[in-house]
Amino acid sequence: MDESRSDQPLRFGLKDLMLATGVFGYFCGLVSLGVSGLGRRVLDYLAQGIGSLGPEIIAVWPFAFFGSLAMLCMVDFTDNPARRPKLFLLLNLAVVLAACCFPLNVLILGWNISFLPLTSSFALGAFPLSIAWLVHRWALGMPQTPDVTWTFCLLMFLDLAAAGSGIGLCAFLDF
């Protein structure tokens, strides 16, 4: 196959392999941070700062969960050039959804297997993916439009809501 042709449906080069390896390593780092003692200490420290606001801050969980679901559908089904490239955007939303689903295992199923530290590590780990999306756009020479700014602000709100609800849950349960 001639690699200079642009009509090929899929091209996977060395840069793509390096990016995929880096993203996989990032997710492994988030999981290992969450199940390690460091993840629990960070969670305890942040939960102490929230204190009695635990029940109130848990109320943002539906905004984080349903907002990230809606944003995921919007990004997948629309082809807006302001949301390209979609890799870090979709990864951010997947991490926020995972951070929102981990506390459900604790509340509904009663599992207490380090899901709350995983929640905090995933919720806090979503912030760099938002910034990576902007840096990736900048590296590709894509313009900064109002749609890009709006999408970035929405991503940061969802990241903050997921982090706040997970940490608030930990403070509420006196983890």
Side-chain angles (χ1 to χ4, degrees), residues 90-152:
L90 293 174
L91 288 175
N92 182 310
L93 294 170
V95 167
V96 168
L97 278 174
C100 289
C101 290
F102 285 143
L104 293 178
N105 293 326
V106 175
L107 293 176
I108 294 174
L109 301 175
W111 296 352
N112 199 7
I113 318 170
S114 69
F115 281 112
L116 294 178
L118 274 174
T119 299
S120 67
S121 69
F122 268 63
L124 295 173
F127 287 104
L129 291 173
S130 301
I131 297 167
W133 176 66
L134 280 181
V135 170
H136 195 194
R137 284 186 56 84
W138 172 77
L140 294 175
M142 296 180 161
Q144 177 82 12
T145 62
D147 284 342
V148 172
T149 305
W150 179 83
T151 303
F152 178 72

Side-chain angles (χ1 to χ4, degrees), residues 12-30 87-88 91 129:
F12 195 81
L14 182 61
K15 290 179 186 176
D16 299 321
L17 178 64
M18 290 173 58
L19 185 62
T21 304
V23 165
F24 181 72
Y26 185 74
F27 283 127
C28 290
L30 287 178
L87 175 70
F88 289 114
L91 288 175
L129 291 173

Side-chain angles (χ1 to χ4, degrees), residues 41-56:
R41 286 192 299 271
V42 167
L43 183 62
D44 288 338
Y45 177 74
L46 293 173
Q48 287 174 358
I50 290 177
S52 64
L53 288 176
E56 290 83 8

Side-chain angles (χ1 to χ4, degrees), residues 28 38 80 110 135 163 175:
C28 290
L38 179 63
N80 189 347
V135 170
F175 179 67

